[in-house]
Amino acid sequence: MYIHAIKMSESKSNQSMRLKSQLCFLVAILVSAHSIAGDLKISINTQKNQPIESVVVTLERLGGIQQSTSPAPLNIEIKQIDREFVPAVTVIPVGSLVSFPNQDDILHHVYSFSKAKTFDLPLYKGIPNEPIEFDIAGVATLGCNIHDWMSAYVVIVDTPYYQKTNQLGEAQLTNVSAGEYELVLWHPRQKKSYRETITIGDQSTTKKIELRLKPSFRSKRQNSNSNRRYQ
Amino acid sequence: MFITLYKQQLRWRITILFSALILVLSGTTLLITHRANIANAETNITANLSITAEVFRQLIESRIQSLKDIARPATSDHAFRQVYSEGHIPTLISAMKNLTARIKNVDSTIMVLVDFDNNIIASTTSLNQHAGQSWQHLLLNAENNDSLEADGVVIINKQPYEIIVTPLLIPDPEAWVLMGFPLDQEFTSTASRITQSNITIFSQQQSDVDVEIHASTFDKTQFDDLISSLNDYQKHINKIWQVSLNRSQYLTSILPLDKLRPLHSHDKQSSNPIRTSQADNNQASIFAAIQGSLTKELAPYQRLNLILAGVFLLGGIVTLLATGLISRSITKPLVGLSRGVAEIGTGNYEVKVTQDRQDEIGDLSKSINKMAGNLKEKEKIRQLLGRSVSTEVAEELLNNDIQVAGEEREVTVLFADLRGFTTLSERLSPSELLAFLNDYFDCLSNVIDQFNGVVDKYIGDEVMAIFGAPVHRDNHAELAVKAALGMQQALIEFRVNNKDIWTFDFETGIGINTDQVVVGNMGSKSRNNYTVIGDGVNLASRLESESKNHPYPIIASQNTVDAAPNFNWQALGSAKIRGKNELVKIYGLDFNKS
């Protein structure tokens, strides 16, 4: 069911992102000279207190307050190494360009049928001619048409405050303009979408969150002892 | 009539007994064989049903595998994914129909695509709006499995389907793909052809009384019987039970189709989510009834039983005839023997029962002939004995009722002597003398017999008789005295009757003594006779001699007079008797005055 949940969150966040980015633009013009900023330290664990890596943490501005800054688009790479996408989870601002270099000595066929971004890179080797622009906020699930087990997720955000948890399950959002935000967490295996209203002041805020995950499903990989990439 | 024959004729008894014995043995053998055959047939069918159940499972598994082999590649097929992502439903249905057409030999495969909320996206067959509820539990089951797959039997549009559920991967699961084949007439016929058993697919809603038959290899005319027998199925799950259909017996095994495959071991949500979810949905329970014909299995045994019965019947008839003949061969000579023995019983000892046989009957006939010979001999002896003793005594002697061993006993001994014999022997020729003596002794002997005496011997013209032995008589002295008187009387009549033949006159002197003597058989082993010895015998002989000196023809001793006092005894004083030192008192008896 989590796929459905993801889709739901995608569509909601797409709408709200657009609205919020417009509002933020107006607010930024009005109050740009007087910003107060704080940090958010977040630690995410399972119910068994195991750290969860690769959780995308975003803060979306609430209450009609102008977004301090628009997220700057990036140019990044999602590589194919040893028949896996590296990294498996990528978070990028809207409008970022992603290239998919194939570092294996075999061909890959990268695709996405997600609503956030549908594209198809038929069999290729090396670096494709053009990077793919992810211009709509949401989640794009990537696959390889040759290798069923290969999957990757590109989370496209419309906020400057985003981060991905490290191996310790920790992420830190720095220099966040004070105000009211919606804390949104996303992980490929999360059971249901996580949204929480949070207020950022001039102090550092620390938060510890317990996220419920469901068992991983992944197509069986050739010559592999493990099917699991995520916790 | 029958009982009379049975009781009276050995032949019938033997025949009936042997025939009854053969009948009982044959019947018991048939019964045991029959029971053993039924038990054997039941064992075979039970084993076959078990194999059939396994083959049935394998057939379903094989078809499930075929579905998976088609469904799994389709769920990760790029074109199919693209069509799904495009959301063009007619193209999607067309692609799904194209996939179902790849299943060989099964034309009625269905394929349904549903989203994670069990909303039908596309289907190769028209479904009613509640169809999704029937497979809801399979989706839950798949969701709880690591493989994200499940299968089970569900009823769609009143038809049981074996359904597999597998996720559509783009590359993560995006929707559920359901593929299934109907457990219909084609399926039961295929399964029946492979397993050689009758197969029926039926279900029962919790609210229904009767089971519903969805497909069966039985003829539809048998469905009413089939339904009424299968209504009891709950009592017989995991058991083999016997039902009667159209006069044929079937052993039946029930296979719960929704329990065909165990759940995956790593399923952590519920020990049996299928059953739980079925209960929640009030899903009908679906079963396969696998039935083996006991009647068909027993057919060769029935033929064997018929042959056995025929053999036993023939054996019975042969036994009846043989027993009849054998018993007749026994009883027929027995009838002859019986007639011969009856003839012997009438005293005809000349009859011969001839059986030219070497067996027991031959021995019996020889024994009977020997017995007849012995009886004849005995009769001859009896007749000879009868000449010297009375018939009564002779009979008693032959019957061995009399002790003839030596013993001391009181008897009365009588001597009768023909006086003037010397003169007589000079007057008569030898033959005349012998004829006279025979007539004379005959006369005396008859009287002795009359008074139960025994002629001990004839000594020339003298006769010696014993009273009180060998047959004991209390009144032996009285009998002897009466015999003496009778002799004198008889001789008077003898003289009168034979005066024309025997013109001469003669007298007879009689001596009687009662005393203790030794009685018994005396002589050699080969030749002996019953007699008495002792002084008493001598005294009787002397008394007879003494009668010549007195006018009395009968002289008795004191002992005899004491023992038989009721006679007109005349004391004759004491006499000197030869061989006796003392004088002996003697008494005379005149028969004319007694």
Side-chain angles (χ1 to χ4, degrees):
Chain A
M1 283 306 162
Y2 68 93
I3 300 297
H4 183 67
I6 292 165
K7 287 179 175 294
M8 292 293 287
S9 72
E10 272 181 51
S11 63
K12 279 184 182 175
S13 64
N14 284 343
Q15 290 169 2
S16 62
M17 286 285 180
R18 257 183 236 119
L19 187 65
K20 283 170 189 169
S21 61
Q22 290 165 0
L23 285 169
C24 285
F25 180 71
L26 290 170
V27 171
I29 292 168
L30 292 169
V31 293
S32 59
H34 313 285
S35 49
I36 302 163
D39 293 344
L40 172 65
K41 284 183 182 176
I42 197 157
S43 167
I44 301 171
N45 294 295
T46 64
Q47 282 180 306
K48 293 180 181 175
N49 208 28
Q50 295 292 315
I52 308 175
E53 189 187 358
S54 298
V55 179
V56 175
V57 182
T58 56
L59 284 176
E60 295 173 4
R61 193 78 187 230
L62 287 176
I65 303 164
Q66 192 184 4
Q67 191 89 22
S68 59
T69 53
S70 291
L74 301 174
N75 281 310
I76 61 154
E77 288 183 340
I78 297 176
K79 298 170 183 170
Q80 294 112 67
I81 303 171
D82 190 22
R83 291 168 290 170
E84 296 287 0
F85 286 110
V86 181
V89 176
T90 306
V91 55
I92 49 168
V94 171
S96 296
L97 296 172
V98 182
S99 181
F100 295 93
N102 175 4
Q103 295 187 4
D104 287 334
D105 55 1
I106 56 167
L107 304 180
H108 286 297
H109 177 168
V110 179
Y111 70 88
S112 166
F113 291 120
S114 302
K115 285 178 181 167
K117 188 68 190 176
T118 299
F119 69 91
D120 201 21
L121 296 174
L123 294 170
Y124 69 93
K125 200 170 178 182
I127 301 168
N129 291 335
E130 295 291 332
I132 304 293
E133 184 184 2
F134 290 80
D135 47 4
I136 301 171
V139 178
T141 306
L142 314 182
C144 171
N145 199 25
I146 307 298
H147 306 101
D148 286 346
W149 67 88
M150 283 177 69
S151 63
Y153 305 92
V154 180
V155 183
I156 308 116
V157 297
D158 193 15
T159 171
Y161 309 118
Y162 59 87
Q163 197 55 265
K164 199 171 76 173
T165 56
N166 59 20
Q167 286 182 334
L168 300 173
E170 293 168 353
Q172 186 169 5
L173 298 172
T174 55
N175 202 24
V176 178
S177 300
E180 206 170 28
Y181 292 87
E182 191 165 44
L183 172 65
V184 181
L185 303 181
W186 182 92
H187 186 272
R189 284 173 49 205
Q190 76 187 120
K191 273 205 164 177
K192 49 186 179 182
S193 60
Y194 185 94
R195 284 178 176 270
E196 183 189 354
T197 303
I198 189 169
T199 303
I200 303 291
D202 56 355
Q203 299 296 315
S204 178
T205 307
T206 303
K207 231 178 142 40
K208 191 171 181 179
I209 297 171
E210 193 179 274
L211 201 63
R212 295 182 69 184
L213 300 181
K214 46 185 191 183
S216 155
F217 172 77
R218 201 175 170 219
S219 295
K220 191 178 177 186
R221 186 194 156 136
Q222 297 166 299
N223 305 324
S224 172
N225 292 327
S226 169
N227 280 340
R228 294 170 187 251
R229 279 196 302 174
Y230 319 109
Q231 288 168 305
Chain B
M1 174 70 181
F2 184 77
I3 293 169
T4 312
L5 274 176
Y6 180 81
K7 284 183 176 174
Q8 291 182 352
Q9 291 201 12
L10 183 62
R11 179 184 167 187
W12 280 101
R13 212 178 300 169
I14 292 170
T15 307
I16 289 165
L17 281 175
F18 268 89
S19 302
L21 190 66
I22 290 295
L23 199 68
V24 168
L25 281 175
S26 306
T28 308
T29 309
L30 265 181
L31 191 68
I32 290 169
T33 312
H34 182 66
R35 287 193 173 177
N37 287 340
I38 287 181
N40 192 38
E42 284 178 350
T43 307
N44 285 347
I45 293 177
T46 304
N48 284 343
L49 288 182
S50 174
I51 293 167
T52 298
E54 191 52 42
V55 170
F56 189 82
R57 283 190 190 95
Q58 290 297 328
L59 183 64
I60 287 186
E61 287 297 339
S62 155
R63 290 204 173 186
I64 285 172
Q65 195 55 49
S66 297
L67 293 182
K68 285 180 177 174
D69 289 346
I70 297 296
R72 279 172 177 163
T75 58
S76 49
D77 179 74
H78 194 65
F80 191 80
R81 287 164 172 163
Q82 201 165 1
V83 171
Y84 170 79
S85 299
E86 294 278 336
H88 194 259
I89 300 304
T91 311
L92 195 58
I93 291 172
S94 182
M96 285 159 62
K97 283 184 176 173
N98 180 56
L99 287 170
T100 57
R102 292 179 186 173
I103 306 282
K104 286 180 183 173
N105 304 324
V106 182
D107 296 333
S108 40
T109 305
I110 61 166
M111 187 169 181
V112 182
L113 198 65
V114 299
D115 66 16
F116 285 142
D117 291 330
N118 199 12
N119 298 309
I120 296 169
I121 300 166
S123 170
T124 58
T125 187
S126 59
L127 298 168
N128 63 42
Q129 56 181 345
H130 303 297
Q133 289 174 9
S134 62
W135 60 65
Q136 177 72 42
H137 63 285
L138 291 181
L139 302 186
L140 288 171
N141 198 28
E143 202 174 306
N144 290 318
N145 281 340
D146 277 358
S147 64
L148 293 184
E149 286 186 344
D151 55 68
V153 179
V154 299
I155 293 177
I156 302 168
N157 294 349
K158 294 190 171 182
Q159 171 70 54
Y161 279 85
E162 176 68 48
I163 294 285
I164 65 148
V165 177
T166 190
L168 178 65
L169 303 170
I170 313 183
D172 279 352
E174 290 271 340
W176 295 116
V177 173
L178 284 77
M179 279 188 93
F181 59 88
L183 301 174
D184 57 3
Q185 201 64 36
E186 181 274 330
F187 178 78
T188 52
S189 298
T190 304
S192 177
R193 201 165 50 245
I194 296 169
T195 60
Q196 295 295 306
S197 297
N198 288 292
I199 292 169
T200 300
I201 307 288
F202 69 96
S203 67
Q204 188 176 38
Q205 289 280 357
Q206 286 177 350
S207 53
D208 287 350
V209 177
D210 283 342
V211 299
E212 184 180 353
I213 292 175
H214 299 286
S216 177
T217 51
F218 283 109
D219 193 79
K220 282 195 174 177
T221 55
Q222 293 176 280
F223 274 20
D224 285 345
D225 283 351
L226 191 60
I227 288 169
S228 62
S229 65
L230 291 178
N231 278 340
D232 276 345
Y233 75 92
Q234 280 178 328
K235 295 177 191 166
H236 304 287
I237 287 177
N238 298 326
K239 291 178 193 165
I240 304 284
W241 100 99
Q242 193 172 328
V243 299
S244 179
L245 291 174
N246 200 21
R247 294 181 185 173
S248 289
Q249 299 297 314
Y250 289 87
L251 289 185
T252 303
S253 170
I254 296 293
L255 203 61
L257 291 180
D258 39 11
K259 284 184 179 174
L260 272 182
R261 286 162 301 283
L263 293 169
H264 293 286
S265 57
H266 47 257
D267 176 10
K268 302 174 188 71
Q269 296 298 312
S270 163
S271 60
N272 196 345
I274 288 180
R275 301 298 296 171
T276 310
S277 54
Q278 276 194 353
D280 293 346
N281 293 342
N282 191 25
Q283 179 83 16
S285 301
I286 306 157
F287 299 91
I290 300 170
Q291 295 174 298
S293 171
L294 188 61
T295 309
K296 202 172 160 187
E297 184 75 20
L298 275 173
Y301 297 128
Q302 297 290 15
R303 281 198 291 278
L304 177 69
N305 275 352
L306 274 177
I307 292 167
L308 275 179
V311 168
F312 287 145
L313 186 68
L314 195 67
I317 292 167
V318 169
T319 306
L320 193 72
L321 292 173
T323 314
L325 285 173
I326 290 167
S327 60
R328 189 164 177 267
S329 74
I330 295 168
T331 54
K332 193 181 175 187
L334 280 181
V335 169
L337 291 176
S338 172
R339 283 181 189 149
V341 171
E343 193 72 16
I344 291 164
T346 61
N348 178 11
Y349 303 125
E350 298 300 327
V351 70
K352 288 284 178 194
V353 283
T354 49
Q355 293 293 335
D356 188 18
R357 299 166 69 123
Q358 303 299 316
D359 55 10
E360 291 84 349
I361 290 173
D363 291 344
L364 180 61
S365 67
K366 283 173 193 164
S367 297
I368 289 171
N369 287 337
K370 195 174 175 185
M371 180 191 76
N374 288 341
L375 285 173
K376 187 180 169 187
E377 189 75 16
K378 199 172 176 182
E379 179 63 15
K380 201 173 173 183
I381 291 166
R382 194 183 65 78
Q383 286 175 359
L384 285 172
L385 266 175
R387 291 181 188 175
S388 54
V389 296
S390 68
T391 309
E392 182 193 1
V393 172
E395 288 290 345
E396 283 181 294
L397 282 170
L398 286 169
N399 287 336
N400 288 335
D401 286 336
I402 297 159
Q403 288 294 329
V404 291
E407 62 170 325
E408 199 174 5
R409 190 193 288 187
E410 186 185 82
V411 299
T412 299
V413 181
L414 180 149
F415 277 87
D417 182 55
L418 181 65
R419 289 179 194 162
F421 177 71
T422 312
T423 314
L424 205 62
S425 60
E426 287 171 355
R427 284 176 60 182
L428 295 175
S429 65
S431 59
E432 283 175 330
L433 182 62
L434 198 63
F436 168 74
L437 280 176
N438 282 345
D439 286 348
Y440 168 76
F441 283 140
D442 197 38
C443 175
L444 294 188
S445 296
N446 284 340
V447 179
I448 292 164
D449 282 352
Q450 187 186 341
F451 291 98
N452 297 322
V454 173
V455 175
D456 183 74
K457 58 177 78 76
Y458 300 103
I459 312 157
D461 58 347
E462 194 178 46
V463 62
M464 174 184 163
I466 310 160
F467 295 84
V471 182
H472 178 75
R473 311 282 179 190
D474 285 339
N475 58 341
H476 52 82
E478 187 182 332
L479 288 169
V481 175
K482 283 182 177 174
L485 292 169
M487 284 177 186
Q488 295 298 353
Q489 183 61 42
L491 285 172
I492 290 169
E493 290 167 13
F494 178 79
R495 285 188 207 102
V496 171
N497 292 340
N498 296 291
K499 64 185 178 188
D500 295 336
I501 306 167
W502 314 115
T503 52
F504 51 85
D505 197 15
F506 60 89
E507 294 292 333
T508 297
I510 296 171
I512 307 170
N513 181 36
T514 300
D515 208 340
Q516 290 285 334
V517 295
V518 174
V519 299
N521 273 332
M522 286 167 219
S524 65
K525 278 183 184 171
S526 60
R527 191 183 177 92
N528 57 50
N529 64 320
Y530 187 82
T531 186
V532 295
I533 53 170
D535 277 351
V537 181
N538 295 335
L539 182 59
S541 177
R542 300 288 181 266
L543 289 175
E544 180 271 317
S545 300
E546 188 64 27
S547 70
K548 296 170 189 170
N549 304 325
H550 299 279
Y552 296 99
I554 300 165
I555 299 295
S557 67
Q558 181 68 50
N559 283 353
T560 303
V561 173
D562 290 345
N566 299 325
F567 294 92
N568 190 20
W569 295 109
Q570 299 298 315
L572 300 176
S574 297
K576 173 65 182 167
I577 301 297
R578 189 157 54 94
K580 290 271 182 185
N581 294 329
E582 294 172 3
L583 292 172
V584 176
K585 277 187 178 177
I586 58 171
Y587 295 85
L589 184 64
D590 188 346
F591 73 93
N592 291 325
K593 295 173 184 175
S594 295

